[in-house]
Amino acid sequence: MTDSLSRRKFLQTSAIVAGGLFSANTTAIALEPRTPSVSGRPVGANDRLRVGIVGVGMEGSGVLSNALTLPGVECVGAADLYDGRHTLAKQITGNPGLQTTRNYKELLDRKDIDCLLVAVPDFWHKQVVVDACQAGKDVYCEKPMSHNVEDGFAMVEAARKGNRIVQIGSQRVSSIVYEKARQLYSSGALGDVFYIEGSSDRNSASGAWVYPIPPDASEQTIDWNEFLVGAPKRPFDAARFFRWRCFSDYGEGLAGDLFVHLLSGIYFISGTNEAPKRAQSSGGLFRWKDGRDFPDLIETLYDYPKFRVALRCNLNNAGGEPIKFHGTKGTMEINGQTLVFVPQDTTPRPEGYTLKSWPARLRKEYMAQWDAEHPQPGPLDYQVDAAAETFTAPQGYSDVSAHEANFFNAVRTRKPTVENEVFGNHAAIGCHLANYAYFKNTIATWDADAKMIRG
Ligand SMILES: NC(=O)c1ccc[n+]([C@@H]2O[C@H](COP(=O)([O-])OP(=O)(O)OC[C@H]3O[C@@H](n4cnc5c(N)ncnc54)[C@H](O)[C@@H]3O)[C@@H](O)[C@H]2O)c1
């Protein structure tokens, strides 16, 4: 047996005819993480990147911690509107003297800062990114890139004008699991893929954004007026500050929070970099009726030129975050750190379903002709080119580190990031289409020339 055949599964004729074989023949493969080195070469004194962070909350604290694990990265300043996060930034960096401020523009004024990590609520992304690009700083900005369509294009323009490196923070696109999925997709192993589905389902208060509020939250510890710049004025409300995802003034609900990860992953794997042509949504607010503006269940059907995509987020049942590609030659599913590829059995077979409705003579003639056109190989010649394969990232693997490494590498080399502002904008527009269709109870279509949603 040759090497190339060594992983093929040789199957008995009777077993092939019985079908449903592939799950029994699975090859498990551990994926090798690439080195997290930011430059692929030793980091010299001149290679050191001095970083400022804007927003040190739930995500920003993780982004900062991850950045500090990468070679040649140093945090030299942190901005946040809540004083508790100044203390947190000092604790994460281990530097009690770290410069902290409520005003992110102080970081922009600093000549010693090379780039910014931005993890503020979504409605603040545009202003911080535009200001950073104007100040000559490269930016890693959290997902979803934009709060609305106009913001996204303003950010694209600012990056272009300032010639800045931008990375949007949907970290899965830097994962080795997604890299493997992209290879399988582009190799043709799946055949033609016309349908992709993904979901992101949770069943907990935290999953539904009902986060505990720090006991010291007050107008003394939080710059509430600054938080509301760009949003409607209202009296201090700690729930709005810490649970901002629930409110359309600051976030985009489930689509902005979770569809964006699914869409970014689908874009990366399929090589798509455009907004969907149209979207139709259904859903409702069934359970988390705490005054929020958004549904706790949303399903959206998207039209892309080459395939259709069905996404769902449900905050009323824990179902993980699978993405499934249905191809004519195979099915590929990603769930967490695991990718499973299951080939479809496309072995040629005589018609089995309608033939029983034919008279015996015609059936016999059909079978004789089929047999003549399909000479039967011996049982040991039956093969399936690839059995089911499972690829898994090692325990502790961090796609956030990989994504940040991709950004820092781009800052050094001036080569594009994996998820630049154009990619990020296209993924975010998909989220805005979903919400538009849901709230306006219409089919949302994307007018690329006018850069606007119609419906
Ligand atoms: N990539 C991911 O997997 C992922 C996960 C979670 C959140 N996120 C994204 O990260 C961003 C932050 O989310 P979060 O969960 O950390 O929210 P958060 O509320 O925990 O943190 C946001 C922080 O930003 C600060 N802030 C708000 N406005 C500011 C301003 N103008 N200047 C300076 N600081 C300001 C707040 O004080 C707060 O500390 C969002 O865009 C979110 O969608 C991404």
Side-chain angles (χ1 to χ4, degrees):
M1 196 184 300
T2 64
D3 274 358
S4 66
L5 289 179
S6 63
R7 281 189 21 234
R8 292 180 177 182
K9 306 294 170 195
F10 290 78
L11 305 167
Q12 302 242 326
T13 314
S14 58
I16 282 200
V17 173
L21 299 161
F22 300 110
S23 54
N25 293 285
T26 301
T27 309
I29 297 163
L31 294 168
E32 289 277 327
R34 266 172 268 126
T35 164
S37 159
V38 290
S39 62
R41 59 195 155 91
V43 175
N46 295 337
D47 271 347
R48 291 195 72 75
L49 289 177
R50 293 167 64 85
V51 172
I53 181 155
V54 186
V56 197
M58 290 175 287
E59 180 65 8
S61 53
V63 165
L64 177 57
S65 303
N66 269 293
L68 297 177
T69 67
L70 297 169
V73 177
E74 184 185 358
C75 177
V76 295
D80 200 290
L81 297 182
Y82 165 41
D83 296 345
R85 262 98 199 222
H86 298 174
T87 311
L88 179 63
K90 289 175 182 170
Q91 289 166 351
I92 293 171
T93 56
N95 176 9
L98 180 76
Q99 190 198 331
T100 55
T101 171
R102 286 180 168 186
N103 179 4
Y104 71 88
K105 291 187 176 153
E106 286 179 23
L107 301 184
L108 301 181
D109 292 339
R110 281 178 58 176
K111 297 278 174 284
D112 64 327
I113 290 185
D114 300 301
C115 52
L116 289 187
L117 303 172
V118 177
V120 291
D122 305 347
F123 77 118
W124 262 103
H125 289 181
K126 180 202 80 176
Q127 202 52 52
V128 180
V129 168
V130 167
D131 289 345
C133 289
Q134 279 171 2
K137 310 290 186 208
D138 299 320
V139 201
Y140 180 105
C141 174
E142 269 306 330
K143 52 49 59 172
M145 177 164 133
S146 61
H147 185 46
N148 53 49
V149 168
E150 297 73 31
D151 281 9
F153 284 98
M155 295 162 84
V156 170
E157 179 55 15
R160 191 197 60 78
K161 239 176 150 174
N163 195 21
R164 291 297 97 205
I165 295 288
V166 174
Q167 174 90 304
I168 304 304
S170 312
Q171 62 274 4
R172 294 181 201 175
V173 304
S174 288
S175 159
I176 47 173
V177 179
Y178 282 66
E179 182 63 40
K180 186 69 215 174
R182 184 177 163 109
Q183 280 169 17
L184 281 170
Y185 189 101
S186 61
S187 74
L190 280 77
D192 292 319
V193 177
F194 301 124
Y195 183 66
I196 303 168
E197 61 183 326
S199 55
S200 192
D201 293 347
R202 303 162 163 187
N203 192 6
S204 68
S206 184
W209 315 318
V210 187
Y211 305 128
I213 293 168
D216 69 347
S218 74
E219 276 190 278
Q220 280 66 55
T221 56
I222 290 169
D223 192 339
W224 175 247
N225 287 332
E226 178 67 12
F227 179 73
L228 290 184
V229 169
K233 299 280 163 264
R234 57 175 69 241
F236 179 72
D237 184 339
R240 281 186 163 257
F241 187 81
F242 288 99
R243 300 173 185 163
W244 55 265
R245 284 170 174 78
C246 299
F247 305 101
S248 56
D249 289 339
Y250 325 117
E252 310 75 35
L254 287 170
D257 202 33
L258 299 174
F259 276 9
V260 72
H261 282 300
L262 303 171
L263 286 178
S264 303
I266 290 167
Y267 283 22
F268 175 76
I269 291 164
S270 65
T272 301
N273 194 357
E274 63 185 300
K277 300 287 175 215
R278 66 175 197 164
Q280 305 170 68
S281 295
S282 175
L285 178 59
F286 294 100
R287 178 187 183 195
W288 300 97
K289 296 178 179 175
D290 52 5
R292 67 183 57 200
D293 298 334
F294 288 106
D296 54 23
L297 166 66
I298 184 167
E299 294 181 276
T300 300
L301 299 177
Y302 290 106
D303 287 17
Y304 287 86
K306 292 191 184 147
F307 46 69
R308 304 291 176 261
V309 172
L311 299 188
R312 182 193 70 227
C313 285
N314 183 9
L315 297 180
N316 307 303
N317 178 272
E321 303 185 320
I323 305 180
K324 203 166 176 181
F325 295 75
H326 300 259
T328 53
K329 290 189 184 165
T331 312
M332 177 171 77
E333 179 167 346
I334 303 174
N335 212 335
Q337 304 286 36
T338 299
L339 161 64
V340 180
F341 172 67
V342 183
Q344 296 264 293
D345 184 359
T346 53
T347 314
R349 294 205 179 84
E351 168 64 26
Y353 178 60
T354 55
L355 230 57
K356 63 180 185 298
S357 69
W358 291 15
R361 184 178 58 81
L362 296 183
R363 250 188 349 243
K364 212 170 146 192
E365 283 170 12
Y366 169 91
M367 285 307 298
Q369 187 177 342
W370 198 92
D371 285 346
E373 288 169 359
H374 300 85
Q376 296 288 300
L380 284 182
D381 294 336
Y382 276 95
Q383 356 178 312
V384 174
D385 273 338
E389 290 178 310
T390 305
F391 302 89
T392 313
Q395 255 196 339
Y397 173 74
S398 165
D399 49 14
V400 178
S401 291
H403 203 50
E404 290 187 51
N406 179 272
F407 169 67
F408 293 127
N409 195 27
V411 170
R412 286 202 172 90
T413 61
R414 312 314 291 172
K415 290 193 182 136
T417 53
V418 63
E419 191 184 2
N420 70 5
E421 65 283 357
V422 174
F423 181 125
N425 192 33
H426 287 150
I429 290 169
C431 307
H432 303 318
L433 278 162
N435 280 333
Y436 188 103
Y438 177 81
F439 285 108
K440 295 203 185 287
N441 199 17
T442 187
I443 294 176
T445 56
W446 176 240
D447 184 336
D449 295 330
K451 295 181 180 161
M452 62 183 293
I453 301 174
R454 299 191 189 279

